[in-house]
Each structure stands twice: as structure tokens, then as C-alpha cells.
């Protein structure tokens, strides 16, 4: 596979003998799930790799209730596994704190982001014993 730059466009020569434009990946931020007071699980889906497989996929995150985090903020990421959907844990968070999280993917053209979702970590973890006490009360 050969890649060439023409103006602001990047083109990739495919094994089929044709040139195809390489575009930014298109992706969604799917679901954020609270795991503990200091960790969440984030889910994303790359719907289009931009004509060339992305090299990194992950999630950016920052504290707050407004604004869109970028890779200049905190990130968790992984090398691309080939699957369109991916899930990563974000750990080391602060209890009772709001976070903003978008999925992101990077390919030869650049980095693009899914929608930014908000989530707030709980103050306390709820244990099985706590749940039993609530049910028996």
C-alpha cells in the first residue's frame, strides 16, 4: 500500500490498483458505566476508519461539566485491535467528581472525536452487604 499527499488530501494506493482518499475516522462514544468510586468503563465504536485503518483508539477525559476534552488532556488508549467496537477502563478518578469523556481515533490523516458524554463518580461504593441492608430495611 502506498500513500501520497496532494494538497490537503491524502491518497492511498490499494492492492486492487486504485487510489482512494484517506479521511479521518468516524466514531461514536457509546456508553459510560460507573464501576467504582474511582473508575468507569467507556465504550466507543469506529463506524468508518477513514479509508485507512486507525492506529490508536481510546478516550480523552477531564474534570468538569462543560467543554470537550482532547488528547492534550488525560487519555486512555490502545493500539487498534481490528474490532470496530472497543471498551477501556478509566481508573484513578476522584469520588463525587464530574468528568467529560469523548471517544477518539487516530489514523494517518489525524485524530477525530465522538460526542462528549458526562458522568459523575459516586461518593461511596455500594457493597453487596449495603444492598442487603437496604432490601431488609
Amino acid at each position: 500500500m502506498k500513500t501520497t499527499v496532494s494538497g490537503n488530501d491524502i491518497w492511498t494506493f490499494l492492492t486492487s490498483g486504485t487510489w482512494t482518499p484517506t479521511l479521518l475516522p468516524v466514531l461514536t462514544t457509546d456508553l459510560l458505566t460507573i464501576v467504582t468510586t474511582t473508575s468507569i468503563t467507556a465504550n466507543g465504536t469506529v463506524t468508518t476508519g477513514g479509508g485507512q485503518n486507525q492506529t490508536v483508539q481510546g478516550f480523552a477525559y477531564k474534570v468538569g461539566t462543560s467543554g470537550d476534552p482532547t488528547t492534550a488532556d488525560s487519555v486512555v488508549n490502545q493500539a487498534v485491535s481490528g474490532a470496530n467496537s472497543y471498551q477501556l477502563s478509566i481508573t484513578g478518578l476522584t469520588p463525587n467528581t464530574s468528568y467529560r469523556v469523548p471517544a477518539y481515533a487516530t489514523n494517518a490523516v489525524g485524530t477525530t472525536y465522538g460526542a462528549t458524554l458526562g458522568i459523575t463518580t459516586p461518593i461511596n461504593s455500594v457493597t453487596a452487604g449495603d444492598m442487603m441492608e437496604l432490601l431488609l430495611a
Side-chain angles (χ1 to χ4, degrees), residues 2-137:
K2 178 181 175 184
T3 301
T4 187
V5 177
S6 173
N8 291 329
D9 299 327
I10 296 178
W11 293 80
T12 302
F13 188 73
L14 303 176
T15 55
S16 63
T18 60
W19 287 93
T20 184
T22 303
L23 307 170
L24 286 168
V26 177
L27 68 153
T28 60
T29 308
D30 298 328
L31 178 67
L32 304 177
T33 307
I34 293 172
V35 177
T36 69
T37 59
T38 61
S39 66
I40 63 173
T41 299
N43 296 273
T45 303
V46 177
T47 56
T48 305
Q52 180 172 335
N53 290 335
Q54 64 276 5
T55 55
V56 175
Q57 57 194 21
F59 300 91
Y61 63 98
K62 71 177 185 176
V63 172
T65 57
S66 64
D68 295 318
T70 68
T71 55
D73 295 299
S74 299
V75 297
V76 294
N77 59 40
Q78 66 181 17
V80 175
S81 63
N84 289 346
S85 295
Y86 60 100
Q87 179 181 75
L88 294 170
S89 294
I90 301 174
T91 60
L93 304 177
T94 303
N96 195 32
T97 303
S98 296
Y99 291 89
R100 306 275 295 158
V101 182
Y104 78 90
T106 301
N107 70 4
V109 178
T111 299
T112 191
Y113 299 87
T116 299
L117 302 181
I119 192 166
T120 300
T121 53
I123 295 173
N124 297 313
S125 291
V126 178
T127 66
D130 294 335
M131 290 302 291
M132 186 57 78
E133 286 181 29
L134 290 172
L135 291 173
L136 296 175

